[in-house]
Amino acid sequence: MKQRKIKFELFILMFVFMAIMGCSKSTSSDNVVSPPAEKEITALEVANLMGNGINLGNTMEAYGHVSLGVDAETSAYETLWGQPVTTKEMLTAMKEAGFDSVRIPVAWTNAIDYESGNYTIKKAYMDRVEEIVNYALDADMYVVINEHWDGGWWGMFGSATSETREKAMELYVSMWTQIAERFQDYSDKLIFESGNEELGSRLNDVDVSKDSGALTEDESYETTNKINQTFVDTIRGSGGNNSERFLLIAGYNTNIMATLDDRFQMPKDSIANRLLISVHYYDPWSYAGSEDLASWGSESEYKAQNDVLAKMTKFTDQGFGVIIGEYGALPAKDGTIKENTVDYTKNILDNSDLYGYVPMLWDTSSFFVRQDLKINDEGLAKLFKDRSLSAQSSLSDEEIKENARKSLELGIAKGKEYDTSYVGPTLNGDEKAVAWIMYNSNDSNVSYSAGDTYDPSSKTDGVVASDVEINGAGTYTISLDFTGTTEGFANSVLFSAIGITNGELLFPGYIVTIKDVTINGDPYKMTGVPYTTTDDKKTTRVNLHNPWVGSIPVEARLPEGDLSSASATVLDNQTLGEVETISVTFEYGPAK
């Protein structure tokens, strides 16, 4: 008999047996029974059983600590960000729509007066989280609960004051001790997640701790590892089923590439094969994160998605289950599904099927409309239904993987067809070098080919780019015009760089010397000296504004060789303002 079918039918038989024995009543007490069969499965196997997932977004993590205090009605927090009060029917309908697991992000400090040193979670808030957890468990879903953004208290870990850093850990440990105690007898279908995107560089956030920012990148990695280890130790040291519960470890920034960095280390555990790793996927942000009209589907975009998701096998090869805790393409401003959303989503699900990951759609009633109790797009509705555990229960694991491989190949072919509609500079293997300006606006609503893979189709609608082919040493000008976008401008800058694709291969050692930067037609004085470097040993890069660079790389190239004044942020995003146009003129040639 086929492996996945065996597992699925085993669980069906188990629950039928429990029903016959009078153990499967439709009450929350069901969820404190830990089915014996679950004790035999590993983190990789539980990822298989979690199937296709969804987030209950903008709900229990809606942050009202500052505006509502800690004693408001729980529903006031729950509905603060525009979502309805969660009902049992909503979770049941999610299950029927094809979702076998749900992630419930939680802002626990909504109900903690931590500023006064009182770390007790208000009972009503804990009760409400438990009630929603039971809705999901009663619907036969796996459930993940975490500690989400939560107003940015995480920045206390990056405080310049040791006392504040110690208080941050005290709060974290107290919080998880209480959560672990409340849910200690719940079955393995309830999974705890150590954090969210804040475990990483956002430990330096200044939302709460104004003197934060003290951690270097290395120290941020070290602190992230320490927090994750403390999470595991805290849960394992509590009572009941927590000694064996599956635990989900938040990756560094939950960013795939940052989590793959060897500085990120999975925590040690007292029990084998019970840890999973969580990362998020919103690439390219110009498509997934922007509300402006945007398109996706070029061959390079398919390949980029496939390549980065395949890298997470570093963790599955070590026995850690992989959960894509958030992914999705944000709808357009008018609420409609953007072009190619089904293709984008399907390719993520195909990769997940191939490698055994758990994809968990980020949703705030954008796709599954909670008031209507259904998916609002027919294509997505069919896709999610077809990927449910029950829909695939008749297939073996290898059949599922083979179907995924074929579908991924079809995606690449579809991307090649998509590329024929693009008119502009093109590449032919390694024969051409093209220079362009990578750009992401500060609100992420406007972008152009941000990343070392040159993809002029990866842009916000209305952006006009003047990219140039590089034929050797000389002077070149490249530019972007944002006046044709919905807003008519880019809101300052979140990230920008000059890229020369194939530059390192065709012109090794060449240096870019910026001669002139023009913003909105006026000369712009840079705030530092830009340098030439490469991240992938293929594309030459000059950072214009890259705040994620912790230190100037030793291999950076400058005409004079003196790196003391080199900067990765020569555009000042605090004063840049509205950017309608930007152009850069530079000299390109070998080091002198």
Side-chain angles (χ1 to χ4, degrees):
M1 186 176 279
K2 296 164 181 165
Q3 185 178 4
R4 183 172 285 210
K5 186 175 181 181
I6 291 172
K7 292 176 182 174
F8 181 75
E9 291 181 349
L10 174 61
F11 275 84
I12 295 298
L13 289 171
M14 178 185 68
F15 286 115
V16 169
F17 175 75
M18 291 173 65
I20 294 171
M21 297 300 295
C23 299
S24 185
K25 300 171 187 175
S26 183
T27 66
S28 61
S29 63
D30 298 336
N31 303 320
V32 301
V33 178
S34 190
E38 292 185 4
K39 295 300 181 187
E40 305 302 323
I41 63 176
T42 67
L44 295 177
E45 290 169 332
V46 82
N48 211 11
L49 292 169
M50 288 177 74
N52 184 34
I54 190 171
N55 277 262
L56 190 73
N58 285 11
T59 304
M60 294 312 295
E61 90 281 16
Y63 185 68
H65 180 93
V66 174
S67 60
L68 298 173
V70 298
D71 294 313
E73 291 290 331
T74 306
S75 61
Y77 307 103
E78 185 175 349
T79 60
L80 188 62
W81 287 354
Q83 297 306 309
V85 170
T86 308
T87 66
K88 187 180 183 69
E89 289 72 24
M90 290 176 189
L91 275 300
T92 300
M94 285 181 179
K95 172 70 174 183
E96 292 172 350
F99 299 107
D100 292 293
S101 55
V102 61
R103 180 173 180 257
I104 305 172
V106 183
W108 295 100
T109 66
N110 272 338
I112 302 176
D113 187 18
Y114 68 92
E115 294 93 341
S116 67
N118 181 358
Y119 302 142
T120 302
I121 302 170
K122 299 287 185 181
K123 182 179 182 300
Y125 203 82
M126 182 76 84
D127 288 346
R128 179 55 177 158
V129 173
E130 183 177 21
E131 186 173 32
I132 296 174
V133 166
N134 283 323
Y135 291 163
L137 291 173
D138 288 343
D140 193 23
M141 303 173 81
Y142 276 84
V143 186
V144 175
I145 57 173
N146 75 349
E147 155 58 17
H148 215 65
W149 169 68
D150 217 349
W153 73 266
W154 295 88
M156 293 168 63
F157 282 106
S159 171
T161 307
S162 60
E163 182 182 3
T164 302
R165 297 194 298 271
E166 291 168 3
K167 286 182 178 179
M169 189 60 83
E170 289 173 6
L171 170 58
Y172 185 76
V173 171
S174 177
M175 182 186 300
W176 276 112
T177 298
Q178 294 172 74
I179 298 166
E181 181 179 352
R182 172 60 74 98
F183 293 101
Q184 65 179 334
D185 293 323
Y186 272 65
S187 80
D188 289 345
K189 296 191 78 169
L190 175 62
I191 297 168
F192 298 156
E193 181 182 14
S194 64
N196 187 52
E197 296 172 356
E198 289 67 48
L199 278 169
S201 60
R202 297 201 64 178
L203 296 173
N204 278 322
D205 279 359
V206 295
D207 307 73
V208 169
S209 180
K210 302 306 179 185
D211 69 343
S212 192
L215 299 176
T216 65
E217 186 171 72
D218 283 348
E219 289 170 334
S220 293
Y221 270 98
E222 291 170 5
T223 306
T224 293
N225 294 338
K226 180 180 179 181
I227 293 169
N228 278 330
Q229 185 64 62
T230 300
F231 168 73
V232 172
D233 294 344
T234 300
I235 304 303
R236 293 295 182 239
S238 60
N241 193 42
N242 293 326
S243 62
E244 298 182 327
R245 184 175 307 285
F246 289 104
L247 300 180
L248 179 57
I249 306 303
Y252 189 90
N253 292 343
T254 60
N255 175 274
I256 291 177
M257 297 309 296
T259 301
L260 290 166
D261 192 297
D262 288 339
R263 288 175 292 179
F264 175 81
Q265 295 292 314
M266 288 292 283
K268 293 179 172 56
D269 197 4
S270 57
I271 182 171
N273 300 319
R274 307 295 278 189
L275 297 183
L276 305 102
I277 176 74
S278 174
V279 290
H280 297 172
Y281 187 81
Y282 291 114
D283 293 342
W285 187 256
S286 57
Y287 175 73
S290 171
E291 290 184 339
D292 285 339
L293 293 176
S295 59
W296 182 89
S298 67
E299 181 183 9
S300 64
E301 285 172 327
Y302 272 101
K303 286 182 175 179
Q305 185 181 107
N306 296 345
D307 289 347
V308 73
L309 291 176
K311 293 179 187 297
M312 285 303 293
T313 55
K314 169 185 176 179
F315 292 95
T316 55
D317 288 347
Q318 299 175 66
F320 301 116
V322 170
I323 294 184
I324 311 298
E326 295 179 17
Y327 78 91
L330 193 69
K333 284 183 177 179
D334 61 3
T336 59
I337 302 300
K338 287 185 294 195
E339 180 183 358
N340 299 122
T341 294
V342 174
D343 292 336
Y344 176 85
T345 305
K346 183 176 184 294
N347 207 64
I348 292 173
L349 299 189
D350 287 337
N351 276 282
S352 298
D353 275 355
L354 180 60
Y355 301 117
Y357 306 157
V358 182
M360 305 194 83
L361 177 73
W362 179 256
D363 187 49
T364 59
S365 290
S366 301
F367 305 105
F368 179 90
V369 181
R370 297 178 207 172
Q371 297 284 29
D372 298 338
L373 302 179
K374 65 178 183 179
I375 300 288
N376 63 355
D377 178 84
E378 289 185 7
L380 286 175
K382 184 178 187 307
L383 177 62
F384 291 131
K385 190 73 173 178
D386 289 347
R387 295 306 173 96
S388 67
L389 189 63
S390 61
Q392 299 196 88
S393 62
S394 63
L395 302 175
S396 69
D397 286 352
E398 192 48 51
E399 286 173 324
I400 290 172
K401 292 179 187 298
E402 183 58 28
N403 288 343
R405 289 188 191 96
K406 291 178 180 178
S407 187
L408 289 169
E409 291 173 1
L410 290 174
I412 296 295
K414 192 170 185 176
K416 290 179 179 179
E417 294 178 7
Y418 179 96
D419 288 340
T420 61
S421 63
Y422 170 71
V423 178
T426 58
L427 301 179
N428 181 15
D430 293 333
E431 297 178 3
K432 289 186 178 182
V434 175
W436 81 101
I437 301 176
M438 311 175 196
Y439 207 95
N440 270 329
S441 64
N442 210 31
D443 55 11
S444 299
N445 284 333
V446 176
S447 69
Y448 181 74
S449 192
D452 286 329
T453 300
Y454 174 60
D455 187 357
S457 67
S458 178
K459 65 174 185 175
T460 304
D461 279 4
V463 174
V464 176
S466 294
D467 307 333
V468 296
E469 184 176 343
I470 303 295
N471 298 307
T475 301
Y476 300 90
T477 298
I478 50 182
S479 65
L480 291 173
D481 186 332
F482 302 120
T483 57
T485 62
T486 301
E487 299 294 336
F489 58 85
N491 180 7
S492 189
V493 62
L494 177 67
F495 164 79
S496 184
I498 296 171
I500 303 176
T501 191
N502 293 323
E504 298 298 297
L505 303 178
L506 299 179
F507 308 105
Y510 270 38
I511 291 177
V512 173
T513 304
I514 296 178
K515 308 301 292 184
D516 178 69
V517 177
T518 301
I519 305 290
N520 300 338
D522 297 324
Y524 180 84
K525 184 177 180 180
M526 294 183 293
T527 59
V529 178
Y531 58 89
T532 306
T533 187
T534 182
D535 286 344
D536 61 0
K537 298 182 180 180
K538 178 180 178 181
T539 296
T540 302
R541 175 191 281 207
V542 179
N543 287 310
L544 300 176
H545 186 83
N546 188 347
W548 295 281
V549 174
S551 58
I552 306 301
V554 295
E555 65 273 15
R557 309 194 292 267
L558 277 173
E560 294 78 23
D562 180 11
L563 298 177
S564 60
S565 58
S567 173
T569 54
V570 298
L571 299 182
D572 182 4
N573 72 338
Q574 298 299 311
T575 61
L576 198 59
E578 297 177 356
V579 179
E580 296 180 350
T581 60
I582 177 174
S583 68
V584 179
T585 299
F586 63 91
E587 289 182 355
Y588 189 54
K592 297 178 181 178

